[in-house]
Amino acid sequence: MRIKSIHWLPITVWIRTYTRDDFIADLIAGLIVAIMLVPQSMAYAMLAGLPPEVGLYASILPLFVYGLLGTSRTLAVGPVAIVSLLVASGLTPLAEPGSSDYVQLALVLALLAGVIQIIMGIARLGFLVNFLSHPVLSGFTSAAALVIGFSQVKHLLGVSVPRLPHFYEQVAATIPLLPETNRVTFAIGLGSIALLVAFKKWGVVFFKRLGFPDQVALMLSKTGPLVVVVLSTLLVWGGRLDERAGVAIVGTIPQGLPPFGIPLLDFGVWMQLLPTALAVVFVGYMESISVAKALASKRREKVDANQELLALGAADVAAAMTGGYPVTGGFSRSVVNFMAGARSGIASIITALLILLTVLMLTPLFYFLPRAVLASIVIVAVSSLLDWHTLQHTWAYNKADALALIATFAAVLVIGVEMGILVGVAVTIALYLWRTSRPHVAIVGRLPGTQIYRNIARHKVETCPHVLAVRVDESLYFANTQFLEDLVLSLVADNPSIRAFVLIGTAINFIDASALETLESLAERLRDAGVEMHFAAIKGPVMDRLEAVGFVDAIGRDHFHLHTHDAMRALGCVYEDQPRQSQHPVEVPA
């Protein structure tokens, strides 16, 4: 029972050594994150097409639940920009943004995403997110940042632009409305962006120069969103700019908590939302687990990927039952939580309690908050998601991965957010199949005076005229075995002196059923041509499978050798004492 409780409730592990100093550190971190999260949660809710208070609701019980179940001590869970964009893109075709039906769909989406994550966690399916490679994720986040940023331009301009499904349609609909820009709204928005950027870039240095300790300077530098909210609210309230200048404001935010309950359980609705839910799960979990692992490694702590799925799933279920929408771990807030000194999930619980206090007592203060300010908070937050460095680095290292990044980026902008992810995954898988279908194959020879065998195209080696020794640098499966068979038969046909073929398996980790059939066929065709087929350095797990199906006995156990040198000696190869440059039987890729 003890082991089970520790597995399902990580808090039972670290709470035993929790100290007063830990609590003080968590209290400070929880306060700083709450200061960031109050305006951010409202801004991200608007991005998702939801009323601002929904973002606040999603920042209470989900944070409390994650604080109990999560294995990361510094991950800050709550509404994030990319998940909000996915919510908007998935729900807009089904209901009018901001309507009661739309809010209900958001609750159902949160519940569905939570259930999927919990099932994945129980089944230990966290590995599935590996299908989102880093280049695909980079292309997606960069394109999403553009989509998110431009979706907020209408709030900065103070114009009304309908929510359209594609980025280029949004751009085309906005440009003709530029002459109608509300100058006061635009000025408030630009001023807010400037102030937020100043806090972000120079806040810590500025407050340190004023004499504040490092910890206090850090805390003050993160108050930028709160400062712009307070200043802009006072400006609009004092000048009655909502009436005199037409500045759009948040308006009435309900005070108190929404009713607790289970969202609509309708199979048809769930099927409609399933693609969006899967996108939310995969993208949200990738963002969450990557930052959680990065921060944990700095303190030599551990993060259990499958337990994180359970914790995030439970947080989403909690959001669904308390009027919220899907949440996940946010990168910027988690980094702030880490730098502020958070030592446990108590920091997350403290943040939740402070948001609860805000919802119960402080929501009337946001009545005159300009929507342009919330838009500026979103724009500054997502600006860091534009990742041009990864494109440059990937292009220099691997053009195929760069192509997957570019394809994902373009697909998100042209086709849409959810389809963009699928395009990226499809391109990645297609490029992988193409790359592995033509594996690197090296004809090898012996480095003089050693038992080491290397590629004849790269090294001065000694070869044995009647033996063809080939190393395949890839596992063998249905897509590449035909390539190997054609290559070997071609080499044998071009070199009549060859009497033995040695397949070196140092890089072969797996042989599937199709590849096995091909090897059987190849052995038979080589036998007909008077060439013996031998194997060298086959790995244990691969050898076990070959023995289990009788392949080893069919070929002959004496044709399997522990090392390449053993195979060459068994085949009667005698090398010269002095090195000589080998003659390549055929041109083989280096």
Side-chain angles (χ1 to χ4, degrees):
M1 290 297 295
R2 183 181 177 186
I3 294 176
K4 185 177 180 180
S5 66
I6 290 176
H7 176 75
W8 295 106
L9 284 175
I11 188 175
T12 60
V13 177
W14 52 259
I15 199 65
R16 300 169 186 172
T17 58
Y18 197 71
T19 65
R20 181 175 177 273
D21 290 340
D22 292 334
F23 177 75
I24 293 174
D26 284 338
L27 179 62
I28 295 173
L31 174 62
I32 294 174
V33 173
I35 290 172
M36 289 183 64
L37 186 54
V38 168
Q40 276 190 353
S41 62
M42 292 191 292
Y44 292 151
M46 288 180 53
L47 171 62
L50 296 162
E53 64 269 18
V54 174
L56 294 172
Y57 300 154
S59 304
I60 302 175
L61 189 58
L63 277 68
F64 193 92
V65 169
Y66 181 82
L68 297 177
L69 300 179
T71 58
S72 171
R73 301 193 182 192
T74 54
L75 188 68
V77 170
V80 298
I82 290 182
V83 170
S84 299
L85 176 64
L86 289 169
V87 171
S89 64
L91 300 188
T92 299
L94 304 178
E96 179 65 27
S99 65
S100 59
D101 289 342
Y102 191 93
V103 173
Q104 284 299 314
L105 288 175
L107 299 178
V108 175
L109 180 61
L111 180 61
L112 181 56
V115 170
I116 292 173
Q117 287 175 307
I118 290 173
I119 293 174
M120 290 178 64
I122 294 174
R124 307 187 70 79
L125 296 178
F127 70 91
L128 289 177
V129 298
N130 294 332
F131 286 103
L132 282 177
S133 65
H134 179 66
V136 167
L137 197 61
S138 175
F140 169 75
T141 54
S142 294
L146 288 179
V147 175
I148 292 169
F150 198 84
S151 71
Q152 301 304 296
V153 169
K154 62 183 180 182
H155 297 299
L156 288 181
L157 301 177
V159 297
S160 178
V161 180
R163 188 183 291 270
L164 298 169
H166 300 113
F167 174 75
Y168 62 89
E169 293 175 333
Q170 200 77 30
V171 173
T174 302
I175 292 177
L177 299 176
L178 292 178
E180 301 177 16
T181 299
N182 184 311
R183 295 181 180 180
V184 177
T185 298
F186 189 56
I188 292 174
L190 284 186
S192 298
I193 290 175
L195 192 56
L196 288 168
V197 171
F199 267 83
K200 186 176 181 179
K201 288 190 174 182
W202 305 294
V204 174
V205 175
F206 174 76
F207 288 115
K208 281 184 179 180
R209 288 181 178 177
L210 291 180
F212 290 100
D214 291 355
Q215 195 76 5
V216 177
L218 173 65
M219 182 174 69
L220 293 175
S221 70
K222 304 306 176 184
T223 60
L226 185 62
V227 170
V228 296
V229 166
V230 172
L231 292 179
S232 62
T233 300
L234 290 175
L235 178 64
V236 173
W237 171 74
R240 307 300 296 181
L241 297 181
D242 57 319
E243 298 176 357
R244 297 178 181 177
V247 174
I249 59 175
V250 170
T252 302
I253 295 180
Q255 194 169 0
L257 297 172
F260 183 89
I262 299 176
L264 177 68
L265 300 178
D266 185 305
F267 181 76
V269 173
W270 280 48
M271 288 299 98
Q272 283 183 302
L273 294 178
L274 183 59
T276 303
L278 290 173
V280 167
V281 167
F282 276 74
V283 174
Y285 179 67
M286 279 291 292
E287 180 175 357
S288 178
I289 197 65
S290 60
V291 67
K293 287 185 175 180
L295 296 178
S297 66
K298 294 179 182 294
R299 295 181 180 174
R300 298 190 178 186
E301 297 171 349
K302 295 181 180 179
V303 174
D304 186 326
N306 291 301
Q307 178 64 22
E308 286 298 294
L309 275 170
L310 291 172
L312 292 170
D316 275 334
V317 172
M321 294 182 174
T322 55
Y325 73 109
V327 298
T328 194
F331 179 81
S332 59
R333 285 197 305 272
S334 297
V335 171
V336 169
N337 198 33
F338 175 87
M339 294 177 64
R343 298 183 184 180
S344 73
I346 297 296
S348 179
I349 294 173
I350 290 172
T351 298
L353 293 175
L354 292 173
I355 303 294
L356 174 62
L357 179 65
T358 301
V359 171
L360 293 177
M361 302 178 59
L362 304 179
T363 52
L365 299 179
F366 299 120
Y367 182 87
F368 290 100
L369 173 61
R371 290 178 175 264
V373 171
L374 294 179
S376 68
I377 292 173
V378 172
I379 291 173
V380 173
V382 301
S383 62
S384 60
L385 297 178
L386 290 169
D387 186 10
W388 306 119
H389 171 74
T390 296
L391 174 59
Q392 296 172 349
H393 179 73
T394 306
W395 183 263
Y397 181 74
N398 189 318
K399 298 293 191 296
D401 285 340
L403 180 61
L405 188 157
I406 294 170
T408 305
F409 182 87
V412 170
L413 296 183
V414 177
I415 304 175
V417 178
E418 295 168 6
M419 290 302 298
I421 299 175
L422 295 178
V423 168
V425 172
V427 170
T428 301
I429 294 175
L431 289 173
Y432 172 79
L433 292 174
W434 174 80
R435 184 169 56 243
T436 57
S437 68
R438 298 183 62 83
H440 176 258
V441 175
I443 300 174
V444 303
R446 188 186 74 131
L447 292 175
T450 72
Q451 297 182 10
I452 299 173
Y453 290 75
R454 291 291 183 264
N455 191 344
I456 66 174
R458 292 178 178 271
H459 303 274
K460 291 183 177 181
V461 296
E462 297 175 330
T463 59
C464 190
H466 67 280
V467 178
L468 172 65
V470 172
R471 187 189 73 233
V472 181
D473 295 335
E474 188 65 65
S475 293
L476 300 179
Y477 73 115
F478 64 90
N480 62 19
T481 50
Q482 189 61 51
F483 170 79
L484 174 64
E485 182 180 28
D486 291 344
L487 176 63
V488 172
L489 293 177
S490 175
L491 291 172
V492 170
D494 292 341
N495 296 269
S497 61
I498 292 176
R499 291 292 176 263
F501 164 64
V502 179
L503 178 62
I504 302 170
T506 51
I508 299 175
N509 298 313
F510 180 76
I511 298 176
D512 74 356
S514 298
L516 178 62
E517 291 183 5
T518 301
L519 291 178
E520 292 171 341
S521 171
L522 178 60
E524 183 177 349
R525 295 179 70 176
L526 288 174
R527 191 181 303 115
D528 293 340
V531 177
E532 294 183 355
M533 186 171 185
H534 288 250
F535 295 82
I538 301 299
K539 294 183 176 180
V542 178
M543 192 70 175
D544 292 342
R545 290 177 177 269
L546 295 179
E547 287 184 323
V549 297
F551 180 79
V552 174
D553 291 328
I555 297 295
R557 288 186 175 271
D558 59 335
H559 285 210
F560 285 80
H561 310 275
L562 191 60
H563 302 290
T564 303
H565 191 64
D566 295 338
M568 303 304 278
R569 285 192 306 175
L571 291 170
C573 291
V574 178
Y575 297 100
E576 299 177 1
D577 293 334
Q578 299 298 322
R580 61 185 176 84
Q581 180 66 44
S582 64
Q583 299 297 317
H584 300 190
V586 294
E587 187 67 27
V588 179

